[in-house]
Amino acid sequence: MAHAQGRRLTIAPSLLAADFTRLKDEVRAIEAAGADWLHLDVMDGHFVPNLSFGPLVLKALRPHTRLPFDVHLMISPVDPYIAAFAEAGADHISLHPEAGPHPHRSLQVIRSLGKRAGVVLNPATPVEAVAWLLELADIVLVMTVNPGFGGQAFLPSQLAKLVALRRMIAAADHPIALAVDGGIAPDTARLAVQAGADTLIAGTAVFGTTDYAVAIGALRAAGAVAIADPHANDPHTTGTTE
Ligand code: DX5
Ligand code: ZN
């Protein structure tokens, strides 16, 4: 599995699982613990059945960390809010193709604002939905839970999507991160990286622990094992001599 070699893992803790009474301290702590990006889940109570926070919170946190802000917009319509998140300090802005009538145009807008553009696939959304968006995508994010809440169980059915997307990304003419979000902990991280993911988004498995550096280290180690030996503990190949 040549694609697995040479991949650098990105760890992106999700602020949704942080202590909201101490967000500034949480963001500083996660940077000190070795996070690569800070994932920020924006929910509107309409596109997903939950509410979280908006650009004001990004703006308030922006001076307190150098971590790239990886903003996951779960809002519809998404287009009226893209510029506000860019101005508030987003470095990456990811959207669901269902969140507006013209996702290709939405990605163009994100790129025109000088930000990295991402597209997110819900569990029921097929990989074909991104085929004609890849030319504008810097990130493809596979949801391994239905979006809206932290702490849900990882959906193994989505691993096949990562395998297919890894192939599609390999054929693209520019680098595209392949991220996974939902129920990511060391065991599921290993499966996701084996399937092709290079970016691990995790809320509960990092902010739900007492030592963030240890939690991030455990995710990195699980991913590194999968990169070094993509077939380790793979139920389809364990026991064979290949
Ligand atoms: C869910 C969000 C996730 C969430 C992940 O809608 O997109 O980023 O914070 O939380 P865990 O890691 O707890 O599943
Ligand atoms: Zn998210």
Side-chain angles (χ1 to χ4, degrees):
M1 212 184 268
H3 73 252
Q5 304 300 327
R7 258 187 286 147
R8 192 191 171 280
L9 279 181
T10 297
I11 308 292
S14 167
L15 193 69
L16 196 63
D19 179 348
F20 275 38
T21 67
R22 304 169 41 251
L23 285 183
K24 178 172 76 175
D25 298 336
E26 291 280 66
V27 164
R28 287 177 170 170
I30 212 68
E31 181 172 8
D36 297 302
W37 300 349
L38 182 69
H39 184 80
L40 297 123
D41 290 301
V42 178
M43 306 178 181
D44 68 351
H46 167 73
F47 185 72
V48 291
N50 198 5
L51 292 158
S52 60
F53 50 78
L56 280 177
V57 171
L58 272 78
K59 193 177 176 192
L61 292 174
R62 187 62 284 182
H64 301 294
T65 178
R66 282 197 288 267
L67 289 178
F69 278 7
D70 180 56
V71 178
H72 176 188
L73 296 181
M74 289 164 271
I75 61 177
S76 174
V78 67
D79 292 329
Y81 299 98
I82 289 172
F85 282 97
E87 283 161 21
D91 297 284
H92 318 154
I93 299 178
S94 297
L95 50 81
H96 292 249
E98 299 90 347
H102 297 291
H104 190 279
R105 176 180 290 145
S106 304
L107 297 183
Q108 284 177 324
V109 169
I110 295 168
R111 286 271 190 93
S112 76
L113 294 167
K115 310 301 178 185
R116 295 179 75 191
V119 57
V120 189
L121 294 178
N122 279 330
T125 306
V127 296
E128 288 76 13
V130 304
W132 296 98
L133 298 174
L134 280 185
E135 65 182 7
L136 287 170
D138 301 293
I139 301 163
V140 175
L141 169 50
V142 172
M143 292 303 305
T144 39
V145 298
N146 281 294
F149 302 93
Q152 302 182 79
F154 178 85
L155 295 169
S157 59
Q158 303 302 304
L159 291 169
K161 236 187 241 182
L162 288 169
V163 173
L165 284 164
R166 174 53 60 190
R167 285 200 200 99
M168 291 165 70
I169 284 172
D173 63 359
H174 64 285
I176 302 174
L178 181 54
V180 63
D181 183 8
I184 293 296
D187 55 342
T188 50
R190 179 175 57 75
L191 297 173
V193 173
Q194 279 176 344
D198 53 39
T199 299
L200 301 171
I201 296 162
T204 311
V206 179
F207 281 110
T209 71
T210 52
D211 190 328
Y212 301 163
V214 168
I216 289 170
L219 291 171
R220 263 192 221 292
V225 166
I227 289 172
D229 183 359
H231 298 295
N233 304 319
D234 182 337
H236 300 295
T237 55
T238 298
T240 70
T241 53
E242 290 185 290

